[in-house]
């Protein structure tokens, strides 16, 4: 215990206490303080280690009551606090005096209603006293493996190996009933409430080493400290699956509708990108969360994306096939020898294609034999098993055949199952689950579970890689950015942005700023025609609107005319703008337009975007995102995730373009964003890509006080 807020050692007392006090244990069965006590006793926590605290009561539920925690004759590991907010600080101080190691504050009335000062006060008391504080504003905490239900949920969930952490207390209550119905076992259930002290990251780190927890599931609404979460996720997710339902997805749609790269990167997108980077699976709803939790808790990841569907019904097989395709699951071709072996387990009219159709006559022996053959074949990565109920088959027997086949295999390949057929199949589904075989009522859910195992397998098999340290001219970039900040500007001028890009090795067209008419010809000559001329002024952002740009300058006369025309236009259309000069830059040959951007997310820091550039960005929303620091592999993945990549890779006879040069630009934008926290946005759009190399035709760099230092 080092006393720091991130010290997780005292979480042991929160999740595995040997003794619990309930401060505010009530005599009234209608009150939360009574229910918490009732649940602790009913859940099977040792009665002699439960200490109700209530100054007005002698005894509640046949347990001796103490007027204050200080009167309890034994040590107390965890205090659950259920008194009104205004007396919480007082009882907390008593907990500190008593030497309590952890508190769970059910009481509401703190930060969630704007009572920030009160919340800060309780955190201060807890930290100074070396206690970890869960809440406030929570339903409580439960651990099925030590029969502790220190909550006002309706019951203790079944014992299991799925940890469920939830920011919403109401969801905790609702889900307990649901998990009981669905026969889903939990290890711990933690309501996080206001997360004033203990947060998701603390619990993830603690549960990594909990032998009773195989998978960590979270309902999350938001994070205060994205960096802490990412640090922890990077340490834990290679050892235990972390699956999160993050509320607030719809914001993504709204953000994605915008044309600007920066605003494309809404914060929900940042969550997705951060989760992906650190192998956290993002489920889209609670059902998927538990479906995937079951799959990842019971099965090894899918490391070889060569999957077989085994079914007794053609329709279910087709539905599963469609779902596999949209989930990225590859259905393998069945090699002739394996097909020959499988033929032993079906009538002559069965099918050894994939899906393998054992037909409606399929028996336990056929399912078992076919599954054993598949699991022992080296090419097979995983099997999705479907059963459609018929009048002549017994689902329980078939379930038994599947369990036996899996038990007799090496158990190194995942299987998921779906028993379709209403109430007749429910019993066998439960039987399969009890035997650690993930089972679902629809083929789509069995496929979705396999897709989660595939994503996990891909994450675990990623080769280790680091963000490269690129050679850049940091000093030049620092000078330009520093000057702009000194002048109180929130963006670099376009020439400055080009200069910073150039300093960071991002290819830009040759350019020069001309400050007098006499320089025009020599500068134009030195750059070479055709040219673009544009006003260089910190006050003018939309240059076209004020006549500040001339394109297609073919010769020296044209350059002089452009110079004169631009200055005349500015005098007329933007008379108060500070004019630095006119910038001439080489007009580059058109290439394939893509964009590379950066938006500094307030939670996770720099979020890099890659996508189809130009006008298409609005229509196609064909953009991929990653959180920095970026590795070369991630930059390549960003490109290949977009539809635009087909064009870059040479679509239908088109020339293959220089993808490596784009990877390099992505990495350099990433490094620029990492090096300068003052940069809040970067937009390289369009970036023209050619057969050899690429050039940034427009670069915007936004500055500001970073929310994420
Ligand atoms: N030490 C111990 N017990 C005390 C003390 C003390 N210093 N002072 C009073 N008590 C006793 C009271 O006498 C009472 O017991 P009794 O009923 O036997 O007399 C008991 O503590 C509770 O105190 P009350 O003043 O009666 O408070 P009440 O039970 O009405 O409310 C509560 C307390 C539940 C903490 C309330 O203030 C609250 O915050 N409710 C909201 C809780 C909540 O919703 N949390 C979030 C859940 S998430 C979701 O949204 C579902």
């Amino acid at each position: 215990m080092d006393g720091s807020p991130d010290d997780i050692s005292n979480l042991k007392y929160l999740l595995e206490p040997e003794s619990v006090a309930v401060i505010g244990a009530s005599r009234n069965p209608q009150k939360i303080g009574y229910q918490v006590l009732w649940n602790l006793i009913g859940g099977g926590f040792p009665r002699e280690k439960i200490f109700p605290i209530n100054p007005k009561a002698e005894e509640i539920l046949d347990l001796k009551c103490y007027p204050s925690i200080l009167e309890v004759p034994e040590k107390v590991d965890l205090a659950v606090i259920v008194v009104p907010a205004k007396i919480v600080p007082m009882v907390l101080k008593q907990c500190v005096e008593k030497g309590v190691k952890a508190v769970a504050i059910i009481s509401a009335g703190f930060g969630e209603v704007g009572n920030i000062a009160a919340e800060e006060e309780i955190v201060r008391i807890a930290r100074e006293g070396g206690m970890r504080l869960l809440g406030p504003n929570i339903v409580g905490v439960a651990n099925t493996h030590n029969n502790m239900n220190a909550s006002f949920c309706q019951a203790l969930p079944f014992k299991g190996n799925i940890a469920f952490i939830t920011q919403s207390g109401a969801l905790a209550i609702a889900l307990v009933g649901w998990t009981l119905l669905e026969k889903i076992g939990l290890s711990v259930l933690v309501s996080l409430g206001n997360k004033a002290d203990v947060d998701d990251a603390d619990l993830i780190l603690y549960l990594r080493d909990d032998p009773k927890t195989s998978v960590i599931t979270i309902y999350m609404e938001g994070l205060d400290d994205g960096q802490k979460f990412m640090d922890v996720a990077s340490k834990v997710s290679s050892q235990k699956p972390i699956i999160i339902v993050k509320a607030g997805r719809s914001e993504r749609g709204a953000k994605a509708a915008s044309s600007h790269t920066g605003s494309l990167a809404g914060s929900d997108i940042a969550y997705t990108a951060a989760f992906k980077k650190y192998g956290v699976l993002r489920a889209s709803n609670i059902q998927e969360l538990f479906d995937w939790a079951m799959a990842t808790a019971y099965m090894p990841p899918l490391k070889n994306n060569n999957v077989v569907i085994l079914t007794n019904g053609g329709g279910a097989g087709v539905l599963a096939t469609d779902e596999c395709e949209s989930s990225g699951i590859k259905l393998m071709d069945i090699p002739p020898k394996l097909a020959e072996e499988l033929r032993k387990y079906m009538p002559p009219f069965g099918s050894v294609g994939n899906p393998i159709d054992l037909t409606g006559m399929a028996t336990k022996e056929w399912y078992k034999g076919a599954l054993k053959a598949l699991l022992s074949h080296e090419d097979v990565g995983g099997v999705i098993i479907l059963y459609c109920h018929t009048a002549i088959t017994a689902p329980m027997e078939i379930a038994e055949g599947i369990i036996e086949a899996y038990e007799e295999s090496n158990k190194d390949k995942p299987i998921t199952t779906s028993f379709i057929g209403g109430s007749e199949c429910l019993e066998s589904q439960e039987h399969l689950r009890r035997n650690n075989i993930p089972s679902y009522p629809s083929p789509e859910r069995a496929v979705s579970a396999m897709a989660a195992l595939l994503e996990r397998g891909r994450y675990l098999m990623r080769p280790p890689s680091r963000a490269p340290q690129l050679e850049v001219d940091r000093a030049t970039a620092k000078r330009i950015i520093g000057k702009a900040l000194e002048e109180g500007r929130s963006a670099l001028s376009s020439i400055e942005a080009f200069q910073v890009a150039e300093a960071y090795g991002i290819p830009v067209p040759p350019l020069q700023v001309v400050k007098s008419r006499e320089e025009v010809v020599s500068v134009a000559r030195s750059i070479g025609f055709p040219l673009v001329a544009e006003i260089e002024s910190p006050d003018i952002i939309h240059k076209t609107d004020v006549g500040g740009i001339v394109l297609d300058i073919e010769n020296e006369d044209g350059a002089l005319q452009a110079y004169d025309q631009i200055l005349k236009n500015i005098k007329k259309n933007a008379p108060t703008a500070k004019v630095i000069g006119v910038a001439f830059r080489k007009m580059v040959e058109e290439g394939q337009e893509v964009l590379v951007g950066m938006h500094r997310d307030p939670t996770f820091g720099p979020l890099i975007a890659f996508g189809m550039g130009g006008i298409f960005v609005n229509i196609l929303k064909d953009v991929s995102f990653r959180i920095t620091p970026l590795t070369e592999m991630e930059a390549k993945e960003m490109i290949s995730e977009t539809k635009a990549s087909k064009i870059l890779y040479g679509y239908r006879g088109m020339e293959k373009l220089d993808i490596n040069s784009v990877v390099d630009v992505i990495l350099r934008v990433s490094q620029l964003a990492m090096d300068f926290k003052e940069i809040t946005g970067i937009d390289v759009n369009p970036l023209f890509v050619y057969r050899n190399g690429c050039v940034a035709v427009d670069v915007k760099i936004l500055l500001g006080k970073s929310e994420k230092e």
Side-chain angles (χ1 to χ4, degrees):
M1 171 73 198
D2 63 10
S4 76
D6 297 339
D7 177 22
I8 57 157
S9 53
N10 273 0
L11 293 187
K12 181 177 168 24
Y13 302 101
L14 178 69
L15 295 172
E16 302 163 62
E18 285 177 5
S19 52
V20 181
V22 180
I23 303 180
S26 170
R27 295 159 291 182
N28 180 348
Q30 302 305 318
K31 289 193 177 179
I32 295 176
Y34 179 92
Q35 285 304 327
V36 173
L37 193 62
W38 171 271
N39 275 345
L40 272 167
I41 298 166
F45 198 80
R47 285 181 70 91
E48 66 283 6
K49 295 292 174 189
I50 305 173
F51 305 109
I53 313 294
N54 184 331
K56 296 180 198 146
E58 290 291 316
E59 220 182 63
I60 305 174
L61 287 165
D62 295 332
L63 285 177
K64 177 177 162 47
C65 239
Y66 298 90
S68 104
I69 196 158
L70 296 170
E71 312 296 322
V72 176
E74 292 184 39
K75 83 173 172 68
V76 176
D77 286 344
L78 169 67
V80 184
I81 296 180
V82 211
V83 290
K86 61 178 187 311
I87 57 171
V88 170
M90 188 267 286
V91 298
L92 265 186
K93 284 177 191 158
Q94 291 176 343
C95 289
V96 171
E97 200 180 330
K98 174 72 183 163
V100 172
K101 301 288 193 315
V103 288
I105 304 180
I106 289 179
S107 319
F110 293 88
E112 83 283 0
V113 290
N115 206 347
I116 309 290
E119 191 156 307
E120 284 170 357
E121 187 192 2
I122 58 171
V123 173
R124 186 183 49 73
I125 296 169
R127 289 202 177 143
E128 284 175 9
M131 288 188 308
R132 291 311 301 261
L133 182 158
L134 179 68
N137 190 28
I138 60 168
V139 161
V141 53
N143 183 338
T144 60
H145 294 284
N146 69 347
N147 301 321
M148 179 194 64
N149 185 4
S151 80
F152 63 101
C153 290
Q154 63 272 53
L156 190 61
F158 289 127
K159 280 193 175 66
N161 53 3
I162 300 171
F164 182 54
I165 299 163
T166 170
Q167 196 167 351
S168 154
L171 206 61
I173 295 177
L175 271 174
V176 166
W178 190 73
T179 56
L180 291 171
L181 261 183
E182 290 276 315
K183 309 278 187 299
I184 294 169
L186 301 186
S187 53
V188 297
L189 169 72
V190 187
S191 161
L192 279 175
N194 297 3
K195 301 198 240 188
D197 176 32
V198 173
D199 64 10
D200 316 67
D202 295 323
L203 290 165
I204 292 171
L205 197 55
Y206 183 81
L207 292 168
R208 175 188 61 177
D209 302 323
D210 174 24
K212 301 281 176 28
T213 296
S214 323
V215 45
I216 301 162
T217 63
I218 301 176
Y219 166 80
M220 180 187 283
E221 283 168 7
L223 287 169
D224 288 335
D225 191 342
Q227 192 57 53
K228 177 180 171 189
F229 175 83
M230 290 193 289
D231 289 346
V232 166
S234 72
K235 283 186 202 142
V236 178
S237 69
S238 53
Q239 296 173 48
K240 260 181 204 177
I242 305 168
I243 311 174
I244 296 181
V245 169
K246 156 79 179 55
R249 289 168 76 87
S250 54
E251 191 193 354
R252 178 186 202 161
K255 296 277 181 191
S258 161
S259 65
H260 187 254
T261 320
S263 49
L264 264 173
S267 134
D268 192 64
I269 291 171
Y271 276 90
T272 302
F275 292 173
K276 188 171 204 159
K277 186 174 182 74
Y278 296 107
V280 173
L281 302 178
R282 181 170 183 171
S284 46
N285 53 55
I286 290 288
Q287 184 178 75
E288 205 168 76
L289 181 82
F290 285 104
D291 282 357
W292 292 2
M294 195 194 310
T296 53
Y298 296 165
M299 285 290 142
L302 177 64
K303 290 191 170 161
N304 169 12
N305 189 7
N306 240 3
V307 172
V308 178
I309 297 172
L310 180 63
T311 181
N312 68 344
V318 176
L319 282 175
T321 303
D322 286 347
E323 205 61 25
C324 281
E325 193 165 309
S326 53
S327 315
I329 294 175
K330 192 174 145 260
L331 294 179
M332 66 179 269
D333 294 330
I334 305 295
K337 273 204 126 172
L338 179 58
E340 206 181 302
E341 169 74 9
L342 290 168
R343 281 256 170 242
K344 293 182 193 161
Y345 307 108
M346 61 180 70
F349 46 88
S351 167
V352 288
N354 189 3
I356 291 164
D357 190 350
L358 303 179
T359 79
M361 293 162 64
T363 60
K364 171 187 172 185
E365 284 67 35
W366 288 359
Y367 265 99
K368 183 177 173 183
L371 183 55
K372 278 188 82 170
L374 289 169
L375 289 175
S376 57
H377 195 278
E378 57 181 3
D379 292 354
V380 176
V383 186
I384 298 166
I385 305 150
L386 311 175
Y387 166 79
C388 298
H389 188 50
T390 76
I392 58 158
T393 47
M396 208 51 173
E397 282 182 16
I398 303 230
E400 198 48 50
I402 292 169
I403 294 164
E404 286 171 17
Y406 197 71
E407 283 300 319
E408 289 165 27
S409 78
N410 288 338
K411 295 189 180 178
D412 56 351
K413 296 174 183 179
I415 64 169
T416 62
T417 67
S418 172
F419 273 48
I420 312 144
S423 56
E424 287 91 345
C425 289
L426 261 184
E427 210 190 351
S428 24
Q429 178 184 294
E430 281 171 17
H431 185 57
L432 283 160
R433 289 179 179 185
R434 271 196 302 275
N435 284 278
N436 292 350
I437 308 276
S439 191
Y440 310 96
S442 77
E444 292 82 1
R445 285 171 64 183
V447 174
S448 161
M450 187 59 83
L453 292 166
L454 170 64
E455 194 178 332
R456 179 129 185 89
R458 281 190 175 141
Y459 179 75
L460 294 177
M461 287 192 305
R462 282 162 76 112
S465 62
R466 280 172 165 271
Q469 262 304 318
L470 303 164
E471 215 167 282
V472 295
D473 176 3
R474 192 159 192 248
T476 298
K478 190 172 180 190
R479 183 176 45 74
I480 296 167
I481 292 165
K483 180 169 164 279
L485 285 171
E486 253 171 46
E487 290 170 10
R489 285 191 271 137
S490 58
L492 295 185
S493 74
S494 60
I495 300 306
E496 288 169 334
F498 272 123
Q499 286 164 343
V500 168
E502 194 174 24
Y504 265 68
I506 297 164
V508 293
L511 64 93
Q512 228 173 306
V513 180
V514 167
K515 295 194 173 158
S516 71
R517 198 170 193 278
E518 290 67 44
E519 293 172 70
V520 171
V521 170
S522 66
V523 164
R525 261 194 217 143
S526 72
I527 298 173
F529 297 99
L531 284 171
V532 178
E534 61 184 283
I535 189 69
E536 172 64 354
S537 163
D539 303 325
I540 301 173
I541 293 167
H542 301 295
K543 297 176 184 187
T544 318
D545 300 354
V546 291
I549 294 192
V550 176
L551 305 170
D552 292 314
I553 302 165
E554 295 289 352
N555 51 39
E556 291 162 11
D557 277 351
L560 286 166
Q561 276 171 26
Y563 180 86
D564 294 339
Q565 188 62 49
I566 286 174
L567 291 184
K568 197 170 148 200
N569 289 346
I570 298 306
K571 205 165 180 187
K572 185 171 160 224
N573 301 327
T576 55
K578 181 181 171 200
V579 173
I580 292 167
V582 172
F584 284 90
R585 65 179 156 87
K586 180 92 175 166
M587 182 141 169
V588 297
E589 188 195 329
E590 263 192 45
Q592 177 59 50
E593 288 187 22
V594 298
L595 71 82
V596 178
M598 186 285 291
H599 162 77
R600 194 172 295 273
D601 184 83
T603 308
F604 296 104
L607 178 67
I608 306 294
F610 167 81
M612 193 65 142
I615 53 165
F616 296 118
V617 66
N618 233 354
I619 307 165
L620 301 178
K621 294 166 201 150
D622 184 22
V623 184
S624 60
F625 298 94
R626 286 291 186 287
I627 300 286
T628 61
L630 278 190
T631 65
E632 191 178 320
M633 188 175 67
E634 285 176 307
K636 285 182 176 159
E637 279 172 6
M638 285 180 81
I639 296 174
S640 62
E641 275 170 20
T642 61
K643 297 186 187 83
S645 64
K646 287 202 181 75
I647 299 169
L648 300 180
Y649 287 113
Y651 184 62
R652 291 199 171 174
M654 284 162 72
E655 268 185 333
K656 182 172 188 282
L657 302 177
D658 190 347
I659 290 168
N660 285 341
S661 69
V662 183
V663 168
D664 191 57
V665 170
I666 294 174
L667 293 173
R668 286 174 188 279
V669 167
S670 164
Q671 179 144 353
L672 180 57
M674 301 273 293
D675 287 352
F676 294 96
K677 303 217 173 349
E678 306 86 343
I679 299 181
T680 54
I682 303 171
D683 198 2
V684 180
N685 182 20
L687 176 74
F688 281 164
V689 191
Y690 310 105
R691 209 150 55 85
N692 288 308
C694 61
V695 172
V697 183
D698 195 4
V699 180
K700 289 190 181 69
I701 295 181
L702 302 178
L703 305 174
K705 195 172 153 12
S706 158
E707 291 173 68
K708 188 86 208 153
E709 288 297 334

